[in-house]
């Protein structure tokens, strides 16, 4: 079989299937030794942490983690409880889910390049003749009796860094010879802008997307303290789950779907952070616009002063679909995995979704291959996610609320978790909260470690008393006055023009 795309999804699935079948992995990037000076072969455009079980249920990849993990969740908005006080957070708590595990193992940070190297080595060590062929772009394919014929052409220089990019397919330029390969099954792992998927009727036009622009950043020595953090100073293991700024939008009450970005960061070690700016809206935000605003937020916002002296060591970026459970897009003898197959959740899971599902996907696909049942109907019945429908629904409701809620509504939403238990935040966004859990959580006292001032939790007197369920699922499209954002504002109704002056929840 042929897998197009040597990213996390492509290599995870290919290296597993290669234990029993001959697999050809085709990637647009050049072979090692032929890349331009300074370019990374097999570059990974995202960096992640993982919920405990997503990693530890796969013992062979546990060594691909980094030494640390999340030790403190943080939330800060420009209009919330910490308004005007950089020494405070609206909400701060130590991870409580997976409490059977050591603190650093509950949400471990992953080494994306170790993962890629592991899967590459696993595939190379199989005995069925599987291999990776680099420096080839997908051109087209056609189904034939009993298989698929796929054509590739050499990658032009401009496509080396980005891999299989949108618009890269098509006839080979004059003088370039295309190559044809026949296989029983074609798996597309080329990402959100898949040219293979575009050969069919696509359903992506009206979807909501997380557009993520970020970077790995190096900090001056002494900027970051040891874990776990106890005050407002950056500490190893900090994860800023949600931070907003007044300056990003002309309309102070603009919602996420109207262009308000969210800033997140993970403190990976004593010198390194992974920072990102996220947009949640219908359609994809042009990456050059998102990256320009990310750099402005990183180096100019008053409340990001701890990052002003950082240097960018590697940009990261990506797009993750959101909002609903996506059905399989499989065709006869063609299936789509990873971002191409919309392997994600409403809140934007990325690689954690792959880690949680690729083994089960391969196990069921192996059965279909053995039975030669590779028709559209059979392929569309392959497992597409580990969560139960009710857990997915809760995640979807919460994410939809985040997209539509006004600034005051979001502040009240955060206050709910100050009154109840921040553990619910972890459960919602790791797909482990079912509706039946809400009444139990609402009756439980707040976690002793939860803090709004990096110390003892002090509930606000006028905080809402309603349960998280009623607040998160109240009208899916909250009414608000028409936006006053001018059309030309960089984060207003349109982001088609770059600003004048770059993903976890999306880290997952």
């Amino acid at each position: 079989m042929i897998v197009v795309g040597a990213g996390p999804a492509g290599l995870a699935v290919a290296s597993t299937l290669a234990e029993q079948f001959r697999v050809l992995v085709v990637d647009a990037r050049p072979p090692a030794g032929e890349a331009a000076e300074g370019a990374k072969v097999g570059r990974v455009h995202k960096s992640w942490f993982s919920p405990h079980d997503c990693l530890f249920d796969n013992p062979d990849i546990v060594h691909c983690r980094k030494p640390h993990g999340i030790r403190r969740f943080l939330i800060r908005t420009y209009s919330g409880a910490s308004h005007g006080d950089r020494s405070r957070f609206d909400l701060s708590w130590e991870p409580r889910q997976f409490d059977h595990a050591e603190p650093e193992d509950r949400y471990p940070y992953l080494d994306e390049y170790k993962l890629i190297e592991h899967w590459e080595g696993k595939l190379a060590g199989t005995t069925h003749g599987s291999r990776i062929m680099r420096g080839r772009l997908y051109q087209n394919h056609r189904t034939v009796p009993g298989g698929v014929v796929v054509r590739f052409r050499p990658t032009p220089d401009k496509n080396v860094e980005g891999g299989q990019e949108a618009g890269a397919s098509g006839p080979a330029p004059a003088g370039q010879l295309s190559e044809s390969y026949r296989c029983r099954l074609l798996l597309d792992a080329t990402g959100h802008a898949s040219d293979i998927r575009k050969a069919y009727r696509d359903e992506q036009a009206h979807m909501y997307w997380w557009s993520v622009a970020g970077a790995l950043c190096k900090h001056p020595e002494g900027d970051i303290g040891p874990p776990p953090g106890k005050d407002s100073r950056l500490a190893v293991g900090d994860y800023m789950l949600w931070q907003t700024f007044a300056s990003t939008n002309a309309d102070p009450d603009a919602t996420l779907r109207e262009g308000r970005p969210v800033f997140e960061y993970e403190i990976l070690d004593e010198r390194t952070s992974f920072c990102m700016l996220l947009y949640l809206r219908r359609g994809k935000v042009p990456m050059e616009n998102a990256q320009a605003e990310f750099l402005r937020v990183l180096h100019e916002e008053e409340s990001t002063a701890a990052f002003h002296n950082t240097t960018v060591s590697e940009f990261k970026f990506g797009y993750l679909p959101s909002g609903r459970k996506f059905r399989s897009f499989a065709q006869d003898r063609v299936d789509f995995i990873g971002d191409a197959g919309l392997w994600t959740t409403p809140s934007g899971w990325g690689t954690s979704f792959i880690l949680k599902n690729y083994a089960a996907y391969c196990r069921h696909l192996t059965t279909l291959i053995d039975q030669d049942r590779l028709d559209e109907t059979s392929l569309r019945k392959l497992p597409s996610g580990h969560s139960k429908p009710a857990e997915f629904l809760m995640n979807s409701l919460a994410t939809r609320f985040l997209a539509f809620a006004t600034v005051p509504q979001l502040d009240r939403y955060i206050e709910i978790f100050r009154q109840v238990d921040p553990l619910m935040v972890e459960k919602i966004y790791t797909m482990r909260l079912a509706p039946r859990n809400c009444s139990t959580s609402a009756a439980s006292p707040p976690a002793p470690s939860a803090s709004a001032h990096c110390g003892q939790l002090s509930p606000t007197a006028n905080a809402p008393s309603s349960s998280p369920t009623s607040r998160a699922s109240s009208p899916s499209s909250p009414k608000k006055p028409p936006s006053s954002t001018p059309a030309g504002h960089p984060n207003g109704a349109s982001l088609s023009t770059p600003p004048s002056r770059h993903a976890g929840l999306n880290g997952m």
Side-chain angles (χ1 to χ4, degrees):
M1 62 200 67
I2 292 177
V3 177
V4 185
L11 287 174
V13 170
S15 62
T16 303
L17 293 176
E19 295 174 351
Q20 300 186 54
F21 308 102
R22 185 172 65 175
V23 180
L24 174 64
V25 179
V26 183
D27 194 74
R29 299 175 185 87
E34 295 183 17
E37 184 177 354
K40 282 190 175 180
V41 175
R43 174 175 176 177
V44 184
H45 294 305
K46 300 170 187 173
S47 184
W48 325 280
F49 68 85
S50 170
H52 175 85
D53 56 351
C54 293
L55 178 62
F56 285 86
D57 285 353
N58 299 286
D60 62 318
I61 60 172
V62 171
H63 70 281
C64 298
R65 60 165 298 171
K66 292 180 178 179
H68 301 287
I70 294 175
R71 298 295 300 273
R72 182 171 62 160
F73 287 104
L74 305 169
I75 294 177
R76 172 186 281 154
T77 69
Y78 74 88
S79 56
S82 65
H83 176 63
D85 186 350
R86 282 171 45 192
S87 68
R88 301 178 61 198
F89 299 106
D90 294 348
L91 198 59
S92 169
W93 76 98
E94 296 179 7
R96 300 189 60 220
Q97 197 166 215
F98 313 114
D99 56 2
H100 63 282
E102 294 296 322
E104 63 271 14
D105 292 338
R106 296 177 186 180
Y107 296 93
Y109 296 137
L110 302 180
D111 188 321
E112 58 270 34
Y113 290 107
K114 278 189 178 179
L115 274 173
I116 294 296
E117 291 171 1
H118 167 78
W119 285 321
E120 286 181 342
K122 181 179 175 182
L123 185 141
T126 57
T127 59
H128 299 283
S130 298
R131 63 190 179 96
I132 301 175
M133 181 173 69
R134 300 190 184 275
R136 298 293 185 274
L137 277 172
Y138 164 83
Q139 188 173 342
N140 57 51
H141 73 275
R142 58 187 174 90
T143 55
V144 297
V148 186
V149 175
V150 193
R151 294 175 67 86
F152 300 94
R153 61 183 174 88
T155 303
D157 291 342
K158 66 180 181 180
N159 291 104
V160 167
E161 176 63 16
Q164 182 86 37
E165 296 179 349
S169 64
Q176 283 192 0
L177 297 178
S178 59
E179 306 166 351
S180 297
Y181 296 85
R182 177 168 174 154
C183 59
R184 294 172 63 189
L185 175 68
L186 172 63
L187 294 179
D188 175 13
T190 57
H192 68 95
S194 163
D195 284 310
I196 301 175
R197 186 173 176 129
K198 290 175 183 176
Y200 303 95
R201 182 175 63 86
D202 206 339
E203 300 176 352
Q204 295 191 22
H206 302 293
M207 296 182 344
Y208 276 82
W209 290 85
W210 289 100
S211 301
V212 187
L216 290 175
C217 299
K218 290 298 181 182
H219 291 250
E221 187 173 356
D223 268 14
I224 298 173
K230 298 298 183 183
D231 51 29
S232 60
R233 181 189 178 193
L234 295 180
V236 174
D238 280 358
Y239 175 32
M240 176 57 73
L241 184 66
W242 190 275
Q243 184 170 356
T244 58
F245 312 93
S247 65
T248 55
N249 297 78
D251 178 3
D253 203 27
T255 64
L256 265 68
R257 67 187 293 265
E258 293 168 336
R260 181 171 299 284
V262 175
F263 182 66
E264 296 185 6
Y265 60 79
E266 302 164 15
I267 307 301
L268 305 180
D269 57 43
E270 292 78 3
R271 297 292 300 273
T272 312
S273 64
F274 171 41
C275 309
M276 65 200 104
L277 196 69
L278 306 99
Y279 293 84
L280 176 60
R281 59 187 299 179
R282 192 182 298 277
K284 301 169 185 175
V285 174
M287 196 48 61
E288 62 271 21
N289 300 13
Q291 189 175 90
E293 183 66 357
F294 162 73
L295 291 172
R296 187 198 69 80
V297 165
L298 186 71
H299 291 139
E300 297 179 18
E301 280 288 342
E302 181 181 357
S303 59
T304 64
F307 298 90
H308 287 186
N309 294 324
T310 60
T311 56
V312 171
S313 59
E314 181 181 347
F315 282 108
K316 301 284 189 179
F317 54 87
Y319 297 97
L320 296 169
S322 175
R324 59 186 172 89
K325 193 171 181 67
F326 300 98
R327 67 179 180 83
S328 171
F329 195 69
Q331 310 292 319
D332 289 343
R333 296 191 177 272
V334 181
D335 200 7
F336 304 84
I337 61 178
D339 287 350
L342 306 182
W343 280 18
T344 186
T345 70
S347 61
W349 277 35
T351 297
S352 291
F353 197 95
I354 297 171
L355 298 182
K356 188 69 176 178
N357 291 286
Y358 79 90
Y361 174 85
C362 291
R363 186 167 60 251
H364 287 84
L365 180 57
T366 295
T367 300
L368 295 185
I369 295 171
D370 288 339
Q371 298 172 354
D372 200 29
R373 292 170 50 214
L374 300 176
D375 57 281
E376 174 185 313
T377 301
S378 297
L379 290 173
R380 290 194 176 192
K381 292 179 180 178
L382 288 169
S384 59
H386 71 281
S387 62
K388 298 176 182 178
E391 295 168 340
F392 195 98
L393 175 62
M394 294 300 294
N395 185 279
S396 184
L397 286 172
T399 306
R400 184 168 178 82
F401 176 84
L402 294 178
F404 283 86
T406 62
V407 171
Q409 287 171 331
L410 284 173
D411 289 339
R412 294 186 68 190
Y413 181 70
I414 293 170
E415 286 291 339
I416 288 172
F417 297 110
R418 281 165 44 82
Q419 292 294 313
V420 185
D421 191 339
L423 174 62
M424 289 189 67
V425 180
E426 298 178 53
K427 287 190 172 184
I428 288 174
Y429 295 110
T430 57
M431 308 284 284
R432 289 167 176 83
L433 182 71
R436 68 178 182 276
N437 302 136
C438 295
S439 58
T440 302
S441 297
S444 302
S449 60
S451 163
H453 197 286
C454 299
Q456 185 63 36
L457 178 69
S458 53
T460 305
N462 62 353
S465 59
S466 56
S467 72
T469 311
S470 64
R471 191 65 65 189
S473 58
S474 62
S476 58
S477 303
K479 297 182 181 301
K480 68 180 293 295
S483 171
S484 59
T485 308
H489 192 276
N491 290 310
S494 172
L495 277 171
S496 58
T497 304
S500 58
R501 353 182 224 294
H502 107 29
L505 77 166
N506 288 278
M508 293 191 283

